[in-house]
Amino acid sequence: MSAVQSASAKGQPAATGAYDVVVVGAGFAGMYMLHRLRQQGLSARVYEQGGDVGGTWYWNRYPGARCDVESMQYSYSFDEELQQEWEWSERYAPQPEILKYAGHVADRYDLRRDIQFDTRVDRAAFDETANRWSVATSDGNTVTAKYVVLATGCLSNARMPDIKGLAGFKGKVYHTGHWPHERVDFTGQRVAVIGTGSSGIQAVPVIAEQASHLTVFQRTANFSIPARNAALTAEEREAFRSNYPEIRRIAREEMRNGIVQEVPDRGALDDGEDERRARFESRWSKGGLTFMGVYNNLAFDKAANDTAADFVRNKIAEIVEDPHTAKLLQPNDHPIGSKRICIDTDYFTTFNRPNVTLVDIKSDPIQGILPHAVRTSAKEIEVDALVLATGFDAMTGSVAKIDIRGRNGQTLNQKWAEGPRTYLGLMSAGFPNLFIITGPGSPSVLSNMIVSIEQHVDWITDCIAHMRDRDLVAIEASRDAEDKWVAHVNEVARTTLYPQANSWYMGANIPGKPQIFMPYIGGVGLYRQICNDVAAKGYEGFAMTAAKPLKRAVSS
Ligand code: N01
């Protein structure tokens, strides 16, 4: 079935002609963008590669997938009725429930009628005379729009590892970021999981319960904190609901990462050893991302960071019964939190199961995949299924797949060859009327994504309304403002321990990708203030072009 047929089969009209805005992606960013544009009376067309809304939650269906931000906070705040009516079942929502929520939002605001599914945007070119984008899609259509908004997601371009022989493997191969829609049952199978980031760490305990044997191939050990997931009680839900507007305001304005939590009043070295251990212990028992918020200097001071890292390493040694396996599972090559910290349910305990083996591929690298086995330099391990939990070409990968041409035909990929360059993460000089939601140079992946998405969408909507009200036809980031912003993003990152890890934040997981710290680490509150100030000063750092007056016809 062609994309056009499939779009119309879903009751959607095929794209016609000209729109005010084309939005790329129908995840949480694209859906809210569409809603806000409609409220402004603007015409919008959304293109989505997947078969339905949900973005990252549409694709990441692997066993054990759930959000690491608590569900009462990982949800839209733009409509009080919506946040009052939705009933989250658990502290951390499982993927199917988040996808159901996305579907509910699409129904509630009747979004799907302007979304064309199963359709990729292949090319977008800016016409400097008309000040319009021409957008070509995988169904063979081309439409035009005054603005293009990239709501392509930060972790949506799954990365297949370049391992010799992978294509010749005779069993099933799965990628966590591109999981089948049908239920996958590993019962009785010998399974290999390659990769121990957040996805692998969530999937391993669930797969271990099904598989006859599970072999986990670990290149880099990761820090992980227990989620302590549980059903939400009516009282817990009510505690949020009765105070939602204020909780959301605090998340937006006062929290670095957009997640309301206790704010630390001291650094790790301000406490003696016993007091420090007690505090870490209390956060470990509570579980979740807030572990890193116990002290205010864990992201900045290596000696402080070491105290937290040692605490977690000791926990791993206590949990994992085999001392050799425990040693391998203890991360020792990066500060805790400098790679995205993982949140798990029974990850380390899983290595006490008789049907689970850990293979350290740093000391015993994978040489290749055989038709029925994984071969390392020391051994061959027979497996029936391969699970690749090898991550994403993060933050820029999905944008790079689109052939985007701005002024003078320059492509965004050419411009970003040495690393992404944006002003505020929102626009890139030379690409007028092209907005990015949670792009590189904005807090995005270092924050509660929905808080950052709503802030970007609201800012972009206000900007478009401002342009319309003043009859302006183009907006573009200035080179100077962009250079200063890129320098600032790097400068702030350098004050932290983050650049010390080979993380996907740095692009270090993709061979050949320029290594630059991509997200803005200044915090969502400060960042929001900067964006608001820029707008209040008449969009300082952006050049805006007025419509040319129409030439009068000369009459004799
Ligand atoms: O990907 P990753 P992910 N041979 O890049 C290994 C979000 N997320 O999908 O570290 C062997 O973190 C790689 O090894 P190394 C979250 O923000 C959120 O797990 O490069 N191994 C690493 O172990 C997260 O950070 C949630 O040495 C190879 C792993 O694969 C982000 O998504 C859940 C390899 C990749 O880890 C990405 O997480 C899931 C190779 N060729 C994801 N190539 C929640 O909300 C890579 N690896 C809870």
Side-chain angles (χ1 to χ4, degrees):
M1 200 194 313
S2 78
V4 176
Q5 283 168 327
S6 73
S8 56
K10 289 180 182 191
Q12 303 153 349
T16 51
Y19 298 93
D20 292 316
V21 186
V22 158
V23 179
V24 190
F28 281 90
M31 287 199 293
Y32 181 46
M33 190 76 241
L34 173 60
H35 179 61
R36 289 300 322 269
L37 292 169
R38 278 196 193 153
Q39 285 179 330
Q40 292 290 327
L42 294 160
S43 64
R45 182 78 173 172
V46 183
Y47 293 101
E48 166 56 52
Q49 188 170 353
D52 201 356
V53 296
T56 196
W57 299 106
Y58 175 86
W59 299 107
N60 283 267
R61 296 164 183 251
Y62 60 86
R66 61 177 73 242
C67 191
D68 59 3
V69 176
E70 296 188 22
S71 47
M72 294 304 291
Q73 301 207 50
Y74 189 83
S75 49
Y76 287 121
S77 71
F78 67 84
D79 185 334
E80 179 63 10
E81 275 182 23
L82 172 66
Q83 62 187 6
Q84 290 296 333
E85 79 195 4
W86 184 261
E87 194 88 353
W88 292 108
S89 67
E90 295 177 53
R91 180 178 176 191
Y92 297 98
Q95 174 272 338
E97 191 168 324
I98 303 175
L99 195 57
K100 202 166 150 207
Y101 173 71
H104 169 73
V105 171
D107 290 341
R108 196 182 199 285
Y109 304 98
D110 189 19
L111 297 179
R112 288 190 184 86
R113 72 182 147 90
D114 287 322
I115 306 174
Q116 185 172 321
F117 295 104
D118 303 307
T119 310
R120 276 189 335 269
V121 168
D122 290 331
R123 287 183 304 284
F126 188 67
D127 177 339
E128 294 183 53
T129 314
N131 285 310
R132 290 186 73 80
W133 285 91
S134 163
V135 178
T137 49
S138 56
D139 60 357
N141 267 338
T142 299
V143 298
T144 69
K146 184 167 175 185
Y147 302 97
V148 170
V149 179
L150 299 175
T152 39
C154 295
L155 294 161
S156 43
N157 193 21
R159 181 180 165 259
M160 293 299 280
D162 188 13
I163 304 177
K164 211 167 98 190
L166 185 57
F169 183 66
K170 297 286 183 222
K172 290 261 194 213
V173 179
Y174 304 95
H175 192 292
T176 46
H178 215 115
W179 201 261
H181 289 210
E182 312 73 50
R183 187 169 176 273
V184 177
D185 185 359
F186 291 112
T187 305
Q189 294 191 33
R190 296 163 301 177
V191 182
V193 171
I194 300 178
T196 51
S198 298
S199 304
I201 280 176
Q202 286 188 331
V204 157
V206 184
I207 296 175
E209 282 178 9
Q210 293 176 359
S212 62
H213 197 91
L214 170 64
T215 310
V216 180
F217 294 85
Q218 172 191 276
R219 193 163 66 182
T220 308
N222 240 319
F223 290 101
S224 189
I225 308 296
R228 312 280 182 213
N229 187 38
L232 276 173
T233 62
E235 293 73 38
E236 284 167 331
R237 273 193 292 267
E238 193 45 34
F240 275 88
R241 283 179 175 157
S242 58
N243 204 15
Y244 244 144
E246 179 60 3
I247 290 171
R248 302 296 202 179
R249 186 199 62 74
I250 295 170
R252 286 194 275 260
E253 295 174 9
E254 294 179 18
M255 296 291 133
R256 280 182 82 84
N257 62 2
I259 302 170
V260 175
Q261 57 191 297
E262 245 176 89
V263 178
D265 61 355
R266 69 189 78 185
L269 305 178
D270 295 335
D271 278 334
E273 210 176 315
D274 290 348
E275 173 65 13
R276 195 165 49 234
R277 193 175 317 110
R279 279 177 187 263
F280 283 138
E281 198 65 65
S282 141
R283 291 289 174 125
W284 180 268
S285 312
K286 230 167 144 187
L289 286 176
T290 61
F291 180 83
M292 288 302 288
V294 59
Y295 289 115
N296 58 22
N297 58 348
L298 297 183
F300 304 97
D301 178 335
K302 181 66 169 52
N305 186 284
D306 285 344
T307 64
D310 284 343
F311 177 85
V312 176
R313 282 190 281 262
N314 286 337
K315 282 288 176 197
I316 297 170
E318 279 169 26
I319 297 167
V320 180
E321 289 158 7
D322 172 48
H324 178 63
T325 306
K327 186 99 197 127
L328 292 176
L329 287 166
Q330 289 172 325
N332 53 26
D333 73 341
H334 61 280
I336 184 168
S338 59
K339 282 185 167 192
R340 172 77 167 209
I341 201 156
C342 304
I343 305 299
D344 71 277
T345 298
D346 297 334
Y347 178 64
F348 294 116
T349 325
T350 297
F351 292 92
N352 296 333
R353 295 176 66 108
N355 69 331
V356 177
T357 313
L358 181 69
V359 174
D360 170 35
I361 55 174
K362 215 160 227 167
S363 62
D364 181 14
I366 295 177
Q367 300 280 322
I369 307 288
L370 304 175
H372 300 285
V374 178
R375 193 177 69 203
T376 66
S377 44
K379 49 192 168 291
E380 266 179 39
I381 298 149
E382 291 203 357
V383 291
D384 305 304
L386 276 179
V387 174
L388 306 171
T390 45
F392 303 87
D393 184 354
M395 299 202 76
T396 55
S398 297
V399 176
K401 276 181 160 171
I402 309 170
D403 179 2
I404 299 172
R405 289 170 191 264
R407 286 202 192 282
N408 305 315
Q410 186 191 32
T411 68
L412 196 59
N413 285 335
Q414 284 164 344
K415 182 174 170 195
W416 286 8
E418 303 301 319
R421 298 187 72 76
T422 67
Y423 177 38
L424 300 173
L426 282 161
M427 296 193 102
S428 193
F431 297 82
N433 295 5
L434 177 78
F435 292 102
I436 312 166
I437 299 180
T438 62
S442 74
S444 71
V445 290
L446 295 177
S447 68
N448 178 347
M449 285 301 286
I450 301 195
V451 169
S452 286
I453 282 169
E454 288 189 330
Q455 184 250 332
H456 265 185
V457 169
D458 290 341
W459 192 95
I460 293 167
T461 308
D462 291 347
C463 177
I464 291 177
H466 173 98
M467 304 243 328
R468 181 187 54 189
D469 295 348
R470 289 159 184 78
D471 209 12
L472 299 167
V473 292
I475 174 168
E476 181 180 354
S478 81
R479 298 261 168 200
D480 184 48
E482 179 173 288
D483 289 348
K484 285 187 179 133
W485 183 252
V486 170
H488 174 63
V489 169
N490 286 308
E491 192 183 295
V492 179
R494 276 196 297 272
T495 64
T496 74
L497 301 173
Y498 278 82
Q500 293 187 20
N502 288 326
S503 65
W504 57 259
Y505 296 138
M506 299 282 299
N509 63 327
I510 304 295
K513 188 166 173 172
Q515 294 204 19
I516 284 178
F517 192 77
M518 292 186 282
Y520 177 55
I521 208 169
V524 297
L526 172 65
Y527 174 78
R528 171 183 297 268
Q529 195 53 55
I530 294 170
C531 291
N532 289 349
D533 289 349
V534 162
K537 289 179 189 158
Y539 294 89
E540 189 178 52
F542 293 96
M544 289 171 154
T545 312
K548 287 199 182 86
L550 288 177
K551 281 192 186 134
R552 281 171 193 279
V554 182
S555 55
S556 55

